Amino acid sequence: MKEISVEDLKTKIDQKDSFTLLDVRDPFELHISNLDYESITIPMDELSSRVDELDESQEIIVMCRSGSRSGTACEFLEKKGFSNVINLKGGINDWAKKIDPKLPVY
């Protein structure tokens, strides 16, 4: 599985690269901490029933709180035939520690 660091994701955002950010956290988590970037939110437990909402032709960067659920989501998407999925290593908590310390770590 491919992974991307929060620093590299920040670069992609700043350069306005084209990709889909998929957030697989639960709805309550979005109120705790969130990136200032447009994303598609599909909680992990809904991913199998909502996979058709994703565009296979796009690069998809998957995020969660720590990188664990997003890793599982990447594996699931790869099994479904998605070839360009990338796990955000360390998740939103790593982003909060290294990119935006105003965000809470939870």
Side-chain angles (χ1 to χ4, degrees), residues 40-51:
I40 296 174
T41 302
I42 302 176
M44 186 67 198
D45 62 349
E46 296 176 18
L47 187 57
S48 62
S49 65
R50 295 178 58 191
V51 70

Side-chain angles (χ1 to χ4, degrees), residues 30-53:
L30 303 176
H31 298 291
I32 297 171
S33 188
N34 218 339
L35 295 185
D36 186 21
Y37 187 81
E38 185 177 333
S39 64
I40 296 174
T41 302
I42 302 176
M44 186 67 198
D45 62 349
E46 296 176 18
L47 187 57
S48 62
S49 65
R50 295 178 58 191
V51 70
D52 60 329
E53 295 177 32

Side-chain angles (χ1 to χ4, degrees), residues 54-67:
L54 301 171
D55 182 352
E56 279 185 64
S57 68
Q58 274 285 321
E59 176 180 70
I60 300 173
I61 298 175
V62 187
M63 66 170 281
C64 67
R65 182 184 64 85
S66 66

Side-chain angles (χ1 to χ4, degrees), residues 4-22:
I4 187 170
S5 69
V6 293
E7 295 90 351
D8 288 341
L9 175 59
K10 174 81 166 93
T11 298
K12 288 177 80 64
I13 290 171
D14 291 347
Q15 292 176 348
K16 300 185 183 337
D17 289 354
S18 177
F19 66 92
T20 298
L21 183 62
L22 172 61

Side-chain angles (χ1 to χ4, degrees), residues 50-89:
R50 295 178 58 191
V51 70
D52 60 329
E53 295 177 32
L54 301 171
D55 182 352
E56 279 185 64
S57 68
Q58 274 285 321
E59 176 180 70
I60 300 173
I61 298 175
V62 187
M63 66 170 281
C64 67
R65 182 184 64 85
S66 66
S68 179
R69 279 177 286 175
S70 54
T72 301
C74 285
E75 291 172 356
F76 170 78
L77 292 171
E78 287 172 345
K79 287 178 184 171
K80 288 291 187 182
F82 287 75
S83 60
N84 200 6
V85 293
I86 304 169
N87 184 38
L88 179 61
K89 190 166 76 172

